[in-house]
Amino acid sequence: MVNKVALITGITGQDGSYLAELLLSKGYEVHGLKRRSSSFNTGRIDHIYQDPHVDGSRLKLHFGDLTDSTNLIRIIAEVQPDEIYNLAAQSHVAVSFETPEYTSNADGTGAVRLLEAIRLLKLDSKTRFYQASTSEMFGDVIPGTMLNELSDFKPRSPYAAAKLYSHWMTINYRDAYGIFASNGILFNHESPRRGETFVTRKIVRAAVRIKRQEENVLYLGNLNAIRDWGHAKDYVDGMWKILQYSNPDNWVLATGVAISVREFTEKVFNFLDLPIFFSGDGLEEVGKSSTGIVRVRIDPKYFRPTEVPYLLGDASKAREMLNWIPEHTIDTLIEDMVVSELSQSN
């Protein structure tokens, strides 16, 4: 057994829950940071969480927020983690345009608070730090470009700009203070645990409801956006491998295959035996069934003030040096999401 101690910020999110499962399977003692809420928000980890006061569970939760440095220092001093995975964030790109200040505070300065805690508590020789960077930092790129660790950044949203700040501050603390601090530049990764407002889960959920005749039309924004989509299970394995490597560094994790939102939507409906065919231009484009029933429409409210048209990742470095090889394809990802949604829907 490993017998290491890890702290995961954002443990109740998609990535945090899968990472907690992985680390527990490897014998870690896992501590998770969660925000206080008036309603329960632990649904993604309830199946692995047990009361530590009753059975000594290796999963322990702490109330905290990346905007509260005093509490972060207290928790890190108490936990003395061997590894910190900073996955907490305001992670919705569209929402970041509406909450730019909070997004900057949590996603940007939040990472600095954790790094400062490591420095002030003199844990630089003990604690390894993982920062969840994002492919959104690349921003506006030429379609067809394969993006790697040396590609230029051109963020196109408050979310991406905040993440770019935390990315560079992680590098700064690594160089200035010798902290083992690594960035994982992860391309889009999805799963049945993805939040319902994110486009992949939104598509899957609506398609299942249409299949059950509980809904008639799916409304989407930019159908032309092309993304490199993988499965979150593969990506949390990459996070772990990044912190096991001998030296801190920056790493791209991606599948190397990209499809449009339109193609993703077609694949989901096809999996449900509800084939759709797109026709029309611009805001008038629609997706119709074989009998001409409109199943997908465009709603301008889902367009962002600035769009990122194309993101395709080159994870050659991670494949060669970390032996990170994704097990899921876009089709197995969609199958997992649709089957899970079918089992949850009434």
Side-chain angles (χ1 to χ4, degrees):
M1 301 298 282
V2 175
N3 293 321
K4 286 184 179 179
V5 178
L7 172 64
I8 303 172
T9 71
I11 194 171
T12 60
Q14 170 189 255
D15 291 5
S17 63
Y18 281 122
L19 180 61
E21 288 178 350
L22 177 68
L23 296 182
L24 288 170
S25 74
K26 295 181 179 295
Y28 279 65
E29 177 182 307
V30 177
H31 294 255
L33 189 72
K34 66 181 293 290
R35 286 178 294 178
R36 174 72 177 88
S37 173
S38 60
S39 60
F40 291 111
N41 60 350
T42 58
R44 295 184 179 96
I45 59 172
D46 282 345
H47 65 292
I48 56 174
Y49 180 70
Q50 297 171 316
D51 188 343
H53 298 97
V54 175
D55 58 15
S57 170
R58 287 184 291 113
L59 175 59
K60 301 174 175 62
L61 300 182
H62 306 262
F63 288 116
D65 192 291
L66 290 187
T67 62
D68 184 351
S69 58
T70 302
N71 194 40
L72 291 175
I73 292 172
R74 179 189 63 78
I75 291 171
I76 293 172
E78 175 186 329
V79 172
Q80 294 284 306
D82 298 292
E83 297 170 3
I84 295 177
Y85 296 85
N86 182 30
L87 310 185
Q90 189 301 100
S91 57
H92 201 288
V93 176
V95 172
S96 75
F97 286 98
E98 301 177 14
T99 60
E101 183 178 347
Y102 176 76
T103 300
S104 299
N105 194 358
D107 298 11
T109 312
V112 178
R113 295 184 180 102
L114 293 169
L115 289 162
E116 268 292 273
I118 293 172
R119 185 181 73 85
L120 293 173
L121 294 170
K122 302 187 184 305
L123 295 175
D124 48 283
S125 61
K126 171 183 173 61
T127 302
R128 296 188 171 197
F129 178 80
Y130 171 87
Q131 170 59 25
S133 291
T134 169
S135 60
E136 288 286 331
M137 299 186 310
F138 293 115
D140 192 11
V141 300
I142 299 173
T145 304
M146 293 283 286
L147 299 160
N148 61 30
E149 295 81 3
L150 300 178
S151 300
D152 293 334
F153 297 120
K154 299 177 183 177
R156 298 272 287 172
S157 68
Y159 168 74
K163 281 290 192 175
L164 184 56
Y165 173 74
S166 59
H167 175 89
W168 277 110
M169 289 300 283
T170 297
I171 295 172
N172 184 268
Y173 272 73
R174 179 168 75 210
D175 294 343
Y177 304 115
I179 295 174
F180 192 111
S182 291
N183 287 301
I185 309 172
L186 274 56
F187 282 65
N188 293 64
H189 47 287
E190 318 297 318
S191 76
R193 298 181 190 174
R194 191 53 138 158
E196 294 177 356
T197 61
F198 288 82
V199 68
T200 53
R201 179 74 188 286
K202 176 182 175 179
I203 292 168
V204 169
R205 188 167 183 267
V208 168
R209 289 178 62 81
I210 289 171
K211 176 75 171 181
R212 295 181 181 276
Q213 298 182 338
E214 298 170 348
E215 193 170 313
N216 295 318
V217 180
L218 163 63
Y219 291 92
L220 293 172
N222 183 11
L223 293 175
N224 296 315
I226 294 174
R227 293 292 185 270
D228 184 327
W229 276 303
H231 199 299
K233 283 186 177 180
D234 291 328
Y235 285 63
V236 299
D237 178 62
M239 295 176 192
W240 177 76
K241 287 182 175 178
I242 285 171
L243 286 198
Q244 309 319 303
Y245 192 68
S246 55
N247 299 309
D249 208 340
N250 307 318
W251 306 87
V252 163
L253 299 185
T255 69
V257 177
I259 65 171
S260 67
V261 172
R262 182 185 294 101
E263 292 173 278
F264 188 97
T265 305
E266 290 173 334
K267 283 178 174 290
V268 170
F269 276 84
N270 284 337
F271 187 84
L272 287 164
D273 294 321
L274 293 173
I276 56 173
F277 308 90
F278 283 93
S279 62
D281 296 313
L283 297 179
E284 302 306 316
E285 184 174 4
V286 295
K288 295 181 180 180
S289 71
S290 57
T291 58
I293 300 173
V294 175
R295 296 300 192 194
V296 181
R297 290 188 182 277
I298 305 299
D299 188 334
K301 75 178 182 181
Y302 294 118
F303 283 91
R304 301 170 185 171
T306 49
E307 294 280 351
V308 175
Y310 186 96
L311 291 174
L312 175 63
D314 174 10
S316 298
K317 179 178 172 182
R319 290 173 186 266
E320 294 170 7
M321 299 175 69
L322 301 179
N323 193 31
W324 179 76
I325 301 174
E327 295 182 1
H328 291 81
T329 64
I330 185 65
D331 292 318
T332 60
L333 166 64
I334 287 173
E335 179 180 2
D336 191 20
M337 293 182 72
V338 172
V339 170
S340 175
E341 196 70 40
L342 285 167
S343 69
Q344 295 176 34
S345 301
N346 295 316

